[in-house]
Amino acid sequence: MRLSARLKDGIIFFMTEKSFGQSHKTPFSQLERHLKTLAHITRNPDSKTAKDVLALQRGLTGNRELAGEGYMNKTNLLDAYISYYFPVSYQQIFYALQNVRLPKSNTVRILDFGSGPGSASAAVIDAVREKNPQCAIDVVLLDFSQSALNAASAFFRSAYKNIAVRTVRADFERESISAVLKKASIVCDFDIIVSCHLLNELWQSQTDRISRLTALCTDAFSHAAHDGLLILCEPALLKTSRALLSLRDSLCAEGLPLIAPCPSDAPCPALSAGETHTCHADYPCAPIKQLAFLAEKARLERTSVKMTYLVFKKGENPPREISENPRCVSGRIVSEAMLNKAGRVRFLVCTGSRRVAISAKKDDPHAAEIGFFALKRLDFVQFSCLEERGDAFGIADKTTLKKMPRRTGEMSILKPKRAVTPVQNPF
């Protein structure tokens, strides 16, 4: 395994070629089948596609000049988006759903606003049918680009059976979701409502954009079934991630019940930590040959998929921060392992209302025994009997570590695993 390192502000950041969190289930087989289906809709990925992918990457995550500019109405950019970003978005939603209870009814209704070519809905369908293969599914896709909707419609007709798909063109900056659905004579509640990579492209120059986004998302949530889900997913860029975290706080203040991935619905501590702080998920990218080919040709790194996401559920009580004594900390791991010059490995833990640093000497046998060095981003953990180290904590001889299920009070002792090499700090 190749290993490189760099020094910044007294912290050594280690980078390895291995993906962190390899124990996560990966969406490889279904996604490969979908890409074969999509190959009949778009041109075969080639060097020209890679150039268009690079143009998209620069326009969406670099200077962002393409964001909100109708790029999917251009055939070459839509083909590039489907070839490269469809599998990326699919994986993001697939991973976001892994710790969420999905509907078990015989018919599931999905609303995808800002659907593009349908990658988010495809991930939702596959997650639902993994639990209930015979489930009938109704999908409503809303998007500004008719070309993207046409591609999505062709994909769903070829890729799935027993699925009804309705596409509706929508301009989210000019009309509400309720108005769009009413105009299309769509009257129903939805079990799963999803939006992937739309919100960052709306009202970019407006000073009240968070208020506008709040109105858009609360309107969407009003169409959720009694136990319906709302899933919001945005790029892990600093600006777009922090914008979604600000929207998170606004939606929580409006009473939307947040169930994942945050430990509680308290104001996000990443926002108050400073303008350079954010919070995102990071999962290994499925070994898709098409992605690897395009990434290599476009000279892009694609070993993982990163995103900031939120899941709300109607009728659910939002999680509350677990009460803490001075030497007990519970919450989510929100960083990779970081090794400083003093030889201590550190993780950041979000308790819901604050971020706490917990560290141990890199060769501490007790830390290794309790599984500290094997922790990964988004693990939900509880530490007790910690050693106080100023504003932070350290692993002591009697420290215990338990890995907790996502939402329940049940706990299971975290079994020691082979340590993962600390990697670059994402903050």
Side-chain angles (χ1 to χ4, degrees):
M1 178 174 63
R2 292 195 300 270
L3 182 69
S4 61
R6 64 188 177 92
L7 180 66
K8 180 180 178 182
D9 298 331
I11 302 291
I12 301 172
F13 300 123
F14 285 84
M15 292 77 75
T16 87
E17 64 178 6
K18 275 198 169 185
S19 296
F20 196 60
Q22 291 180 336
S23 62
H24 289 289
K25 184 176 181 180
T26 56
F28 176 63
S29 58
Q30 288 278 29
L31 186 50
E32 283 280 25
R33 284 195 287 271
H34 292 332
L35 291 179
K36 290 179 181 179
T37 300
L38 289 166
H40 298 289
I41 299 172
T42 64
R43 71 171 188 258
N44 290 327
D46 54 19
S47 296
K48 188 177 186 308
T49 308
K51 291 181 181 179
D52 291 332
V53 167
L54 182 59
L56 272 176
Q57 190 271 343
R58 289 175 173 171
L60 295 176
T61 65
N63 54 32
R64 291 187 53 76
E65 63 183 7
L66 289 179
E69 292 302 315
Y71 53 89
M72 288 194 189
N73 288 325
K74 298 180 179 179
T75 302
N76 64 316
L77 293 184
L78 177 58
D79 284 352
Y81 189 95
I82 291 173
S83 298
Y84 188 78
Y85 284 108
F86 184 107
V88 172
S89 299
Y90 176 98
Q91 291 180 76
Q92 290 170 333
I93 298 301
F94 180 94
Y95 282 126
L97 290 173
Q98 289 307 292
N99 292 318
V100 176
R101 277 192 206 92
L102 297 174
K104 295 182 179 180
S105 56
N106 292 328
T107 300
V108 172
R109 294 182 175 88
I110 300 168
L111 172 64
D112 185 345
F113 64 104
S115 66
S119 51
S121 290
V124 173
I125 292 168
D126 292 344
V128 169
R129 284 198 163 167
E130 184 180 39
K131 306 294 184 183
N132 186 0
Q134 304 306 317
C135 176
I137 294 179
D138 296 337
V139 184
V140 174
L141 306 176
L142 310 181
D143 200 86
F144 180 77
S145 169
Q146 188 61 53
S147 298
L149 291 172
N150 292 342
S153 182
F155 164 72
F156 283 112
R157 284 197 304 269
S158 300
Y160 296 104
K161 296 180 180 179
N162 199 21
I163 287 182
V165 179
R166 179 97 181 261
T167 62
V168 182
R169 189 175 181 277
D171 186 344
F172 302 106
E173 291 188 335
R174 294 181 180 275
E175 52 188 344
S176 68
I177 289 175
S178 291
V180 172
L181 295 176
K182 182 178 180 180
K183 188 167 59 177
S185 300
I186 297 173
V187 182
C188 66
D189 289 334
F190 295 92
D191 301 288
I192 301 174
I193 301 172
V194 62
S195 180
C196 186
H197 297 183
L198 165 71
L199 305 179
N200 71 93
E201 300 191 8
L202 300 177
W203 299 296
Q204 294 182 78
S205 61
Q206 301 296 322
T207 57
D208 63 344
R209 71 182 303 263
I210 296 300
S211 296
R212 293 172 184 249
L213 292 172
T214 299
L216 176 72
C217 293
T218 53
D219 180 40
F221 197 58
S222 71
H223 295 278
H226 70 281
D227 58 351
L229 297 171
L230 170 64
I231 304 155
L232 305 176
C233 179
E234 289 290 287
L237 301 170
L238 177 65
K239 183 177 180 180
T240 56
S241 178
R242 284 181 64 84
L244 185 60
L245 297 180
S246 295
L247 176 60
R248 167 205 179 276
D249 285 0
S250 181
L251 292 174
C252 287
E254 290 292 321
L256 272 67
L258 177 68
I259 64 166
C262 306
S264 82
D265 60 354
C268 178
L271 295 176
S272 58
E275 293 184 356
T276 60
H277 287 254
T278 184
C279 189
H280 67 270
D282 187 350
Y283 294 101
C285 184
I288 303 294
K289 291 182 180 179
Q290 179 173 304
L291 263 181
F293 168 79
L294 291 172
E296 181 182 4
K297 291 294 184 181
R299 297 183 180 181
L300 299 174
E301 185 276 333
R302 180 53 70 188
T303 58
S304 66
V305 288
K306 302 177 182 179
M307 74 284 194
T308 298
Y309 76 95
L310 305 169
V311 182
F312 300 87
K313 185 173 184 179
K314 188 170 282 189
E316 192 85 1
N317 292 321
R320 300 299 178 188
E321 184 171 345
I322 299 172
S323 60
E324 301 173 8
N325 65 44
R327 296 192 299 136
C328 179
V329 173
S330 300
R332 291 269 190 200
I333 301 293
V334 292
S335 76
E336 312 291 2
M338 298 172 283
L339 179 66
N340 66 16
K341 290 191 297 184
R344 296 188 70 88
V345 175
R346 182 184 69 171
F347 288 96
L348 292 180
V349 180
C350 177
T351 69
S353 63
R354 62 189 180 119
R355 288 182 161 194
V356 179
I358 299 177
S359 65
K361 291 182 179 179
K362 63 180 181 180
D363 53 358
D364 185 331
H366 181 62
E369 181 182 4
I370 63 176
F372 178 76
F373 300 123
L375 291 174
K376 58 184 180 290
R377 185 186 290 271
L378 291 192
D379 278 344
F380 198 10
V381 296
Q382 182 184 67
F383 292 91
S384 61
C385 299
L386 290 164
E387 170 188 55
E388 294 187 63
R389 296 175 59 86
D391 294 335
F393 294 93
I395 301 296
D397 291 343
K398 294 184 179 180
T399 297
T400 62
L401 168 58
K402 295 179 181 179
K403 187 175 181 181
M404 304 165 62
R406 181 179 59 87
R407 291 288 319 281
T408 70
E410 300 175 9
M411 302 177 194
S412 58
I413 294 179
L414 181 65
K415 296 179 179 179
K417 302 176 184 177
R418 187 164 60 88
V420 178
T421 306
V423 297
Q424 181 181 3
N425 180 11
F427 298 108

